[in-house]
Amino acid sequence: MKTDAITNVNKVQQDLRATEEARWMAGVAKGDRVCFEKLHDRYAGLVFATVYKVLNDHQDAEDVSQVVFSQVWQKAHLYDRSKGKPITWTVTLARNRAIDRLRSKQRRSHLRDGYSEESKVFEATATRRDASDEVSEHERAETVRTAVLELSDEQREAIEMAYFGGMTQQEIARKLGQPLGTVKARIRRGVMRLRGVVGHRL
């Protein structure tokens, strides 16, 4: 009986807490900074822990936590109380942003590895050429710039967002208002065209 009573008390406290937080979230949706600060104070530790568990990097976790609360401020109007508690909504947002950051880091790492391998190929090729046939660094850079300009506007925009903006393909699709499959195709075709043009000219 005592255990049941404690359980009931805890449930009542949790419900009151959720109601309070839902009221704060509604305030944030209306631009109430006091409500936002209350939510931030209550959720900051949990958000950081959620993000850190995914990234395992203190600085990245701090950066992403700031992004999460920035999105809470911007997207509080999207919170639907009928679909869950504010804390669940916020933690889900934190986990998604952490996963996005992790994928972005992995993608940049793959790109660096790819560029490193391509550089080795270029260097090996250059050592086999006569001095008169070597392509200068300036000429290589100019070739790449020219190749990028030959891409369609849609391909260039998608590639810049993915490789230089650190955005996921889903984020690009949302930003451009295009289907995910269309964005994937643009990036794939753009990269293939770059490889073909640069490889042919060098």
Side-chain angles (χ1 to χ4, degrees):
M1 293 294 292
K2 185 176 181 180
T3 301
D4 291 340
I6 294 175
T7 301
N8 290 334
V9 170
N10 289 338
K11 187 178 186 309
V12 170
Q13 291 177 339
Q14 290 173 1
D15 290 343
L16 289 174
R17 180 186 177 101
T19 299
E20 181 179 49
E21 291 167 358
R23 186 170 64 251
W24 292 345
M25 189 70 77
V28 175
K30 296 177 181 178
D32 190 323
R33 292 187 175 277
V34 173
C35 287
F36 175 75
E37 289 173 1
K38 290 179 178 179
L39 271 179
H40 182 280
D41 290 344
R42 181 165 292 182
Y43 290 167
L46 180 60
V47 166
F48 179 85
T50 299
V51 174
Y52 185 83
K53 186 175 181 180
V54 175
L55 298 176
N56 197 32
D57 182 286
H58 192 278
Q59 185 58 54
D60 278 351
E62 286 188 347
D63 292 344
V64 173
S65 294
Q66 291 180 6
V67 172
V68 170
F69 282 109
S70 175
Q71 293 198 329
V72 168
W73 174 256
Q74 296 169 3
K75 298 183 177 183
H77 64 283
L78 298 177
Y79 166 68
D80 184 349
R81 186 175 182 181
S82 68
K83 295 182 179 179
K85 298 177 181 179
I87 192 169
T88 304
W89 183 79
T90 304
V91 167
T92 300
L93 182 64
R95 187 179 297 109
N96 289 341
R97 293 292 75 78
I99 292 173
D100 288 345
R101 173 63 68 90
L102 182 62
R103 288 174 176 168
S104 177
K105 289 181 66 176
Q106 291 172 340
R107 183 167 58 249
R108 287 196 295 268
S109 177
H110 290 327
L111 280 173
R112 284 195 298 269
D113 292 343
Y115 284 136
S116 177
E117 290 301 317
E118 289 181 7
S119 296
K120 290 178 182 178
V121 172
F122 281 131
E123 291 171 5
T125 303
T127 58
R128 293 195 298 268
R129 293 175 178 171
D130 294 332
S132 60
D133 294 331
E134 290 183 355
V135 181
S136 68
E137 289 300 321
H138 174 75
E139 290 172 330
R140 289 179 185 175
E142 187 63 31
T143 296
V144 173
R145 281 196 293 271
T146 301
V148 170
L149 291 176
E150 291 184 9
L151 297 176
S152 68
D153 292 341
E154 292 83 2
Q155 290 173 346
R156 184 166 59 251
E157 182 178 40
I159 287 176
E160 287 176 349
M161 286 181 172
Y163 295 130
F164 302 107
M167 298 175 66
T168 66
Q169 292 180 344
Q170 289 183 335
E171 288 175 332
I172 295 172
R174 286 196 296 268
K175 185 174 181 62
L176 298 179
Q178 296 290 335
L180 180 58
T182 299
V183 170
K184 288 182 177 180
R186 287 179 184 176
I187 294 175
R188 182 175 62 255
R189 291 169 185 164
V191 171
M192 290 176 65
R193 180 164 178 76
L194 279 176
R195 288 175 178 170
V197 172
V198 173
H200 175 72
R201 293 180 182 177
L202 294 182

